[in-house]
């Protein structure tokens, strides 16, 4: 297993949200503006990378019976650090994400990667895994945020561009408010995962066809 | 807190501000443990118990240890440790006293530790500044709201398996999310429900 392969897996083929189906709560809850999506994604990216590195360093010291508790303490320490930094330097993001920043401590992506990867692999590979998975999460979150913000508020980059107003793409009376409400979150993520499954279903039969074709040629 | 304030907290936590369908907390067990109504009910009961007891202990620790020592920034760490040890304790208690329920819950019991509804409720208690009674009521009713949502959802999914007709790409997780979305749309009807 090499570093670049581990890194690339997190982006698409083993994407934490779309393929491993982890970290649903935050993905659906905060993906209402680009600012929220990117902010949350980067916070998770930093916490995931740091906790993966520390857990990989400690993996031979932690007794396996109490490993989950140890992982949680390491993760929560980084979550607290990021929470305090955001409160001090980016208060707007901190107040709009609210309780979902401390809740990163129980985000299944981070504990899942600690258990499935960092506890078994070297520091370098774990760091690559953390960055890859974190970027994969950020990617999905950004995508869903852009779509939901466009359909629900009719803007792009709310909270970030144009003095926090966002660039208006649809006149204010048209957007479907429903999309930024919880219903839209469920629907957007459901449709995105369905899209991934659709493309996988289409890919699957093709190897059988090519192998059949080879046999035909061999005959 | 007056009786009507408590009633309004309770109604809000169960219906108008339902933890799963409106606040997006506890989605993982909500989708993961909702294939059968029986297990959904067991999970709901366990989560409700943990949420109520965790609210009680976290409030006490926050008010009598963290606040006097100016250690509020340690809240997340302290709460997580309380929840983790509480779940461990409940696990041992059930194993000894109610082995039937213990076996039925199986793997889902330790997973409550990382249920964001539980950590969410204690963090919200602190954020909203509820007193001891308010916190426990919010924890208990938040858990009841979770139970209500997961039972409704499990009943719909049981039927979905048998009768529904949907595109193949939506099989499994996506159709569950769309169903949950429709359920959350129905719960939006409760928004604005208030007792003044």
């Amino acid at each position: 297993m090499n570093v670049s392969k581990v890194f690339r897996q997190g982006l698409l083929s083993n994407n934490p949200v779309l393929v491993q189906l982890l970290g649903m709560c935050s993905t659906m809850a905060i993906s209402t503006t680009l600012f929220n999506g990117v902010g949350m994604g980067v916070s998770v990216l930093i916490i995931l990378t740091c906790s993966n590195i520390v857990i990989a360093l400690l993996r031979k010291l932690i007794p396996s019976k109490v490993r989950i508790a140890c992982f949680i303490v390491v993760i929560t320490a980084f979550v607290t650090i990021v929470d305090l930094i955001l409160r001090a330097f980016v208060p707007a993001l901190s107040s709009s994400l609210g309780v979902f920043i401390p809740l990163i401590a129980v985000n299944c992506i981070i504990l899942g990667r600690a258990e499935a990867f960092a506890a078994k692999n070297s520091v370098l590979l774990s760091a690559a895994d953390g960055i890859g998975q974190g970027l994969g999460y950020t990617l999905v979150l950004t995508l869903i945020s852009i779509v939901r913000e466009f359909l629900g508020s009719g803007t792009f980059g709310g909270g970030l561009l144009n003095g926090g107003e966002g660039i208006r793409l649809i006149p204010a009376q048209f957007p479907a408010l429903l999309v930024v409400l919880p219903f839209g979150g469920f629907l957007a993520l459901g449709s995105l995962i369905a899209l991934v499954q659709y493309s996988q279903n289409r890919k699957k039969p093709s190897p059988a066809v090519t192998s059949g074709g080879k046999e035909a040629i061999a005959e | 807190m007056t009786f009507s304030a408590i009633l309004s907290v309770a109604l809000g936590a169960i219906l108008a501000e339902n933890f799963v369908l409106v606040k997006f907390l506890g989605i993982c067990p909500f989708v993961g443990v909702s294939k059968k109504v029986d297990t959904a009910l067991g999970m709901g009961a366990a989560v409700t118990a943990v949420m109520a007891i965790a609210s009680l202990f976290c409030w006490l620790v926050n008010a009598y240890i963290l606040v006097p020592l100016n250690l509020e920034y340690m809240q997340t760490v302290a709460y997580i440790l309380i929840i983790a040890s509480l779940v461990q304790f409940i696990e041992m208690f059930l194993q000894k006293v109610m082995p039937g329920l213990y076996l039925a819950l199986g793997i889902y019991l330790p997973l409550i530790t990382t249920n964001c509804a539980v950590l969410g409720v204690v963090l919200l208690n602190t954020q909203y500044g509820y007193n001891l009674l308010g916190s426990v009521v919010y924890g208990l009713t938040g858990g009841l709201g979770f139970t209500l949502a997961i039972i409704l959802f499990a009943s719909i999914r049981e039927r979905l398996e048998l009768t529904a007709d949907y595109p193949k790409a939506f099989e499994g997780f996506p159709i569950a999310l769309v169903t949950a979305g429709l359920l959350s749309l129905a719960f939006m009807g409760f928004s604005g429900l208030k007792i003044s």
Side-chain angles (χ1 to χ4, degrees):
Chain A
M1 231 190 304
N2 59 31
V3 174
S4 75
K5 192 182 163 205
V6 167
F7 175 75
R8 267 182 290 131
Q9 265 180 355
L11 287 182
L12 277 176
S13 66
N14 197 20
N15 186 288
V17 182
L18 299 179
V19 181
Q20 298 175 60
L21 306 176
L22 297 173
M24 296 289 151
C25 304
S26 54
T27 310
M28 290 188 280
I30 57 90
S31 58
T32 49
T33 64
L34 184 65
F35 184 49
N36 282 358
V38 174
M40 184 72 177
V42 173
S43 310
V44 168
L45 168 68
I46 293 168
I47 295 169
L48 181 57
T49 311
C50 295
S51 73
N52 257 9
I53 291 173
V54 171
I55 287 166
L57 280 171
L58 295 175
R59 69 185 190 279
K60 286 180 183 135
L61 294 175
I62 296 176
S64 68
K65 275 198 171 173
V66 292
R67 65 183 191 287
I68 300 289
C70 297
F71 295 165
I72 288 184
V73 173
V74 170
I75 293 165
T76 314
F78 285 112
V79 170
T80 306
I81 295 171
V82 168
D83 187 17
L84 294 176
I85 291 176
L86 287 182
R87 262 191 239 173
F89 296 106
V90 205
L93 185 66
S94 182
S95 67
S96 86
L97 293 180
V99 77
F100 282 95
I101 289 282
L103 279 179
I104 298 177
V106 286
N107 191 317
C108 342
I109 295 177
I110 301 182
L111 194 65
R113 291 326 286 173
E115 168 81 1
F117 199 93
K120 294 173 196 146
N121 288 289
S122 72
V123 177
L124 190 64
L125 281 178
S126 302
D129 180 70
I131 297 172
Q133 299 279 339
L135 281 179
Y137 177 74
T138 312
L139 198 72
V140 173
L141 215 53
T142 311
L143 196 68
I144 296 180
S145 301
I146 290 175
V147 171
R148 279 181 77 189
E149 193 188 344
F150 176 68
L151 295 175
S153 323
T155 53
F156 175 79
L160 201 64
L161 305 171
N162 198 12
E165 291 271 298
I167 298 163
R168 182 152 291 286
L169 299 171
I170 306 177
Q173 68 267 39
F174 293 122
L177 182 66
L178 203 58
V179 181
V180 285
L181 292 174
F183 169 71
F186 282 113
L187 201 64
L189 188 62
S191 317
L192 194 59
I193 296 174
L195 201 66
V196 172
Q197 290 194 356
Y198 177 72
S199 68
Q200 280 173 343
N201 286 347
R202 277 178 55 134
K203 262 185 217 160
K204 255 178 210 158
S206 60
V209 171
T210 46
S211 71
K214 268 180 199 160
E215 276 164 28
I217 292 165
E219 277 170 6
Chain B
M1 278 178 124
T2 59
F3 181 72
S4 67
I6 286 173
L7 202 62
S8 135
V9 167
L11 263 184
I14 297 177
L15 297 174
E17 298 262 292
N18 188 287
F19 267 74
V20 184
L21 298 169
V22 181
K23 281 192 187 305
F24 280 121
L25 296 168
I27 300 286
C28 301
F30 178 69
V31 179
V33 199
S34 54
K35 289 216 172 99
K36 284 213 171 99
V37 175
D38 298 346
T39 42
L41 185 64
M43 186 69 185
V47 168
T48 308
V50 174
M51 276 169 81
I53 304 170
S55 296
L56 172 70
F57 281 103
C58 290
W59 191 89
L60 290 173
V61 167
N62 188 43
Y64 291 109
I65 301 178
L66 297 180
V67 173
L69 295 175
N70 286 322
L71 282 175
E72 283 102 331
Y73 63 90
M74 293 288 282
Q75 268 162 358
T76 315
V77 181
Y79 291 170
I80 280 225
L81 289 177
I82 295 171
I83 292 167
S85 39
L86 198 64
V87 170
Q88 190 79 53
F89 181 76
I90 290 180
E91 203 179 338
M92 291 188 313
F93 177 78
L94 284 183
Q95 200 174 7
K96 188 104 178 155
V97 182
M98 288 182 262
L101 184 61
Y102 173 77
L103 284 179
L105 287 176
I107 177 75
Y108 302 119
L109 201 56
L111 280 183
I112 295 177
T113 312
T114 55
N115 182 339
C116 46
V118 181
L119 185 62
V121 79
V122 293
L123 287 168
L124 287 174
N125 278 334
T126 315
Q127 200 179 324
Y128 295 159
Y130 285 148
N131 62 11
L132 182 60
L133 183 63
S135 299
V136 175
V137 168
Y138 194 53
L140 184 70
T141 51
L144 290 178
F146 177 87
T147 313
L148 175 68
I150 199 172
I151 289 174
L152 286 175
F153 188 52
S155 336
I156 297 176
R157 277 184 87 176
E158 274 189 353
R159 297 201 168 195
L160 209 60
E161 296 264 305
L162 298 174
T163 53
D165 187 20
Y166 46 82
K168 198 167 177 292
F170 273 89
E171 218 162 72
F173 211 79
I175 193 70
L177 284 181
V178 173
T179 313
L182 292 173
L183 205 55
S184 104
L185 201 59
F187 266 72
M188 263 177 60
F190 292 117
S191 67
L193 190 70
K194 248 184 209 157
I195 295 174
S196 50

